[in-house]
Amino acid sequence: MVGFDEQLKTIKGHLCGESSKLQVIPIIGMGGIGKTILARNAFDDDLIAYHFHIRLWVTISQDYHMQRVLRSIEDSINVANREKPEVDEGDLLGYIYKHLKGMSRIMLTTRLSDVAHYAGTLGSLHQVQFLNEEQSWNLFREKVFGQEHCPRELEYPGKSVANHCRGLPLAIVMVAGLLSKVNKTQYDWMKIACNVSSVVTSSNDEHVAKILSLSYNHLPHHLKPCFLYMGVFPEDYENSASRLVKLWIAEGFVRPIESRSLEEVGKEYLKDLVSRNLVLLTKKRYVWATTLYLSPIIPLDARVAGKVHLLENLQTLSSVTNFTFTNEILEMILNLKTLKVLSNGPKNKWQQLCNNLDHLLQLETLTIRFLDLETVGVHHFPESFAFPRNFKELSLRGCRLPWKDMTLVGSLPKLEVLKLCTHAVDDEVWEPIEGEFLQLKFLLLKKLSLKHWRVEDIHFPRLEHLHISWCGRLKSIPLEIGEIPTLKLIKVHNNTSVADSAMEIQQEQRSLGNDTLQVRVYDNNW
């Protein structure tokens, strides 16, 4: 951390002090001076990780939700203790107090002196210092050139720009990100230097805002909406990179490029914003928004059918209830990759519910759930029904299909994951046919009426994970399952006889020299 080494040592000294009493260490400074970066580096430091067996990182923005803050603390406690308990809302405060009682250090960042002095322990307050000219230039040079040398003709305009940033790290890295993308000529850099110098008379907050505006104005047009979209997240919000890209795609910000998927293009957009220092990459998979909690990716029901033309770039469509997929609609969502279909209507409405889904050639994950679990009787796939041929994951629930209809599923050439849950199939005997499920790697059978399963190793030649849960009528797993060479794991929940047969399979395989197969048995609700 350029310019922060000594300050980091000071913070670590406060944190690792000998006193066992609770101490609050406020880190105070104006916006953009590096409070959060300094705190994060202290939090992630090896010495601090060794010194404190429980470390919690919590973000509280100006508009915060107390229950989410408490849940965030709970999640961090569970990770630290390798626990995964179910804690009721009413017990949450007691659970947190029990685990944090006796904690000795609290580090907080704030712009407000009153908050820092009120919360801080005497002598522990740390005022973040501005960078001096040398530190400013070193940070600027590192962000623009990395390990390379700065050409001599660019030193003067470069130092001029760095000095005009008033020792404010955020301003320096933003301008550095801008200059890293323009031509590295003295003329182009002097133009930027003049623009930066024109905002030096502003107050500190206005200074940062104007430099941010300068960086924004130099963005390519396709990146501007992606950058502005970051403003919907709370300050210092950590967001999954893959989720952010999906949201950009759903909003139509990502432009299709021939021979490349929208995800690939979106990732390039994100990398470009990171290289411009407008978005901070905190981990390999997470980005940090610099400034409303966004609901999960665009649920859709029949009421928004008239707006479906807005969704041509949509890739995830969640919780579509009682929706009819007409040819007109399908043509507008041809890039869809993940689809979850719900129905609270009768089981014989397959044709209406899932008609023409085979047109979705990009679809990779499909979930179909019938919510009415009371209606009994077996219901077949319609004769003309067809699944998309290229998708890899299928989840069915409440469909009450016969096992012989699984031939349609088993014929899918790329299917790798199959989850059959809660009356997905309402039949007692499953006897697969050779040549089915050739690529299947993961199979879940949960809360089914399956009684007899007749299978040989040729039926699931690439199966790796078999999970059986709450299948009370099933007496055993066929021994032939153990002969599948790729099988790595069998999980059994709440079925003693099935668990015994799984252990028998494992013992037989071990006697044959196969130590790879693992068996896990659970007796709990799942």
Side-chain angles (χ1 to χ4, degrees):
M1 292 198 310
V2 176
F4 281 102
D5 292 340
E6 291 303 318
Q7 298 192 62
L8 181 59
K9 288 180 183 177
T10 302
I11 296 294
K12 288 165 61 177
H14 287 308
L15 292 172
C16 297
E18 295 181 0
S19 175
S20 60
K21 294 182 179 180
L22 174 65
Q23 289 190 345
V24 179
I25 299 111
I27 301 175
I28 185 174
M30 66 166 290
I33 202 169
K35 302 182 297 297
T36 304
I37 293 293
L38 184 58
R40 174 60 78 173
N41 276 269
F43 181 84
D44 291 333
D45 187 83
D46 291 340
L47 175 63
I48 301 302
Y50 174 79
H51 196 82
F52 298 95
H53 71 282
I54 293 181
R55 293 174 301 132
L56 311 179
W57 181 275
V58 181
T59 299
I60 303 178
S61 57
Q62 292 184 28
D63 297 316
Y64 67 92
H65 191 285
M66 179 57 72
Q67 204 63 29
R68 287 182 192 146
V69 172
L70 295 177
R71 283 295 178 192
S72 174
I73 295 173
E74 178 210 357
D75 290 342
S76 297
I77 292 172
N78 294 342
V79 170
N81 290 332
R82 294 182 172 86
E83 298 177 353
K84 202 171 184 180
E86 294 283 340
V87 182
D88 295 333
E89 298 291 332
D91 298 333
L92 192 53
L93 275 173
Y95 175 80
I96 292 172
Y97 176 78
K98 174 183 133 183
H99 283 80
L100 298 188
K101 185 179 180 181
M103 292 288 104
S104 58
R105 299 292 184 271
I106 297 174
M107 177 173 58
L108 68 87
T109 65
T110 179
R111 301 180 187 183
L112 305 176
S113 296
D114 291 347
V115 171
H117 285 94
Y118 177 80
T121 303
L122 185 63
S124 64
L125 186 147
H126 180 81
Q127 178 82 45
V128 183
Q129 303 299 313
F130 289 95
L131 303 182
N132 59 34
E133 286 190 11
E134 181 181 0
Q135 292 169 335
S136 297
W137 169 239
N138 288 339
L139 176 60
F140 175 87
R141 185 177 55 194
E142 178 187 290
K143 292 297 181 181
V144 176
F145 298 103
Q147 301 300 318
E148 299 178 6
H149 292 289
C150 173
R152 182 172 298 176
E153 67 273 13
L154 296 181
E155 280 195 16
Y156 174 75
K159 288 183 176 180
S160 175
V161 168
N163 290 339
H164 284 143
C165 290
R166 301 179 178 175
L168 198 62
L170 178 61
I172 293 170
V173 298
M174 284 194 300
V175 176
L178 168 59
L179 286 172
S180 67
K181 296 297 181 179
V182 303
N183 294 328
K184 290 183 173 59
T185 65
Q186 192 175 42
Y187 173 75
D188 287 300
W189 277 38
M190 286 303 297
K191 284 200 303 182
I192 299 296
C194 290
N195 287 331
V196 174
S197 66
S198 67
V199 303
V200 297
T201 58
S202 309
S203 67
N204 284 329
D205 287 340
E206 289 177 345
H207 181 60
V208 175
K210 288 186 177 181
I211 289 180
L212 185 60
S213 176
L214 183 65
S215 299
Y216 172 78
N217 291 335
H218 280 79
L219 281 176
H221 290 299
H222 66 276
L223 291 182
K224 288 183 176 180
C226 296
F227 177 64
L228 290 177
Y229 193 79
M230 303 297 288
V232 305
F233 301 106
E235 185 179 4
D236 291 335
Y237 182 76
E238 277 194 1
N239 196 8
S240 163
S242 60
R243 179 173 180 267
L244 179 62
V245 169
K246 286 179 181 178
L247 290 169
W248 286 347
I249 292 170
E251 294 288 351
F253 299 156
V254 180
R255 300 174 182 176
I257 296 178
E258 190 175 353
S259 77
R260 300 185 67 190
S261 69
L262 289 175
E263 286 104 330
E264 291 174 331
V265 178
K267 287 177 182 176
E268 290 301 318
Y269 285 13
L270 181 56
K271 287 179 181 177
D272 201 347
L273 288 173
V274 170
S275 68
R276 295 170 184 270
N277 297 309
L278 292 173
V279 173
L280 179 62
L281 194 66
T282 60
K283 303 174 187 175
K284 287 186 177 179
R285 296 175 50 250
Y286 292 89
V287 291
W288 211 340
T290 54
T291 45
L292 311 219
Y293 178 75
L294 210 58
S295 59
I297 302 173
I298 308 184
L300 180 72
D301 60 22
R303 291 173 297 174
V304 298
K307 300 180 181 179
V308 75
H309 65 279
L310 300 175
L311 306 177
E312 58 183 11
N313 290 320
L314 189 66
Q315 297 199 4
T316 299
L317 191 54
S318 179
S319 302
V320 184
T321 305
N322 297 335
F323 194 78
T324 301
F325 288 90
T326 64
N327 287 333
E328 181 183 9
I329 289 175
L330 288 170
E331 288 175 1
M332 297 175 183
I333 55 173
L334 292 178
N335 287 315
L336 202 66
K337 291 194 173 184
T338 300
L339 173 63
K340 182 178 179 181
V341 181
L342 307 179
S343 173
N344 52 21
K347 309 290 187 299
N348 59 6
K349 294 297 184 181
W350 274 97
Q351 196 69 28
Q352 177 181 337
L353 185 68
C354 303
N355 189 38
N356 299 326
L357 289 187
D358 56 317
H359 293 353
L360 298 175
L361 300 181
Q362 303 300 318
L363 194 68
E364 295 180 354
T365 302
L366 174 63
T367 299
I368 299 175
R369 293 185 178 180
F370 284 92
L371 304 177
D372 175 19
L373 300 178
E374 302 301 323
T375 305
V376 297
V378 174
H379 302 271
H380 295 267
F381 287 128
E383 289 186 9
S384 60
F385 182 79
F387 284 109
R389 300 293 293 172
N390 294 319
F391 78 98
K392 298 179 180 180
E393 180 173 339
L394 174 64
S395 300
L396 300 177
R397 179 180 184 271
C399 308
R400 296 190 181 274
L401 296 162
W403 281 110
K404 65 180 182 179
D405 277 23
M406 283 297 104
T407 297
L408 179 62
V409 177
S411 65
L412 295 168
K414 298 183 180 180
L415 186 68
E416 296 181 359
V417 177
L418 177 61
K419 300 177 181 179
L420 303 175
C421 302
T422 315
H423 303 299
V425 182
D426 220 7
D427 201 358
E428 293 185 346
V429 182
W430 187 17
E431 191 168 354
I433 299 173
E434 184 177 355
E436 297 177 349
F437 302 105
L438 295 180
Q439 302 298 327
L440 194 69
K441 297 179 181 179
F442 180 98
L443 175 61
L444 168 64
L445 307 176
K446 180 179 180 181
K447 294 185 178 180
L448 304 179
S449 58
L450 178 63
K451 189 173 182 180
H452 303 290
W453 188 16
R454 298 164 186 159
V455 63
E456 298 180 18
D457 59 334
I458 59 174
H459 291 142
F460 302 95
R462 289 180 172 80
L463 188 66
E464 296 179 2
H465 296 264
L466 172 62
H467 294 201
I468 299 178
S469 176
W470 288 90
C471 292
R473 304 183 68 185
L474 184 65
K475 299 305 179 185
S476 65
I477 302 172
L479 289 174
E480 290 80 4
I481 284 287
E483 297 173 11
I484 300 174
T486 55
L487 191 63
K488 299 177 181 177
L489 176 65
I490 300 177
K491 277 188 178 182
V492 180
H493 288 254
N494 293 81
N495 189 315
T496 302
S497 61
V498 170
D500 291 342
S501 67
M503 299 301 295
E504 184 180 350
I505 290 172
Q506 185 184 41
Q507 290 172 5
E508 181 182 77
Q509 289 302 305
R510 285 182 175 176
S511 70
L512 297 173
N514 176 11
D515 295 326
T516 302
L517 179 60
Q518 301 294 313
V519 174
R520 297 177 187 169
V521 177
Y522 303 89
D523 291 317
N524 55 6
N525 293 327
W526 177 72

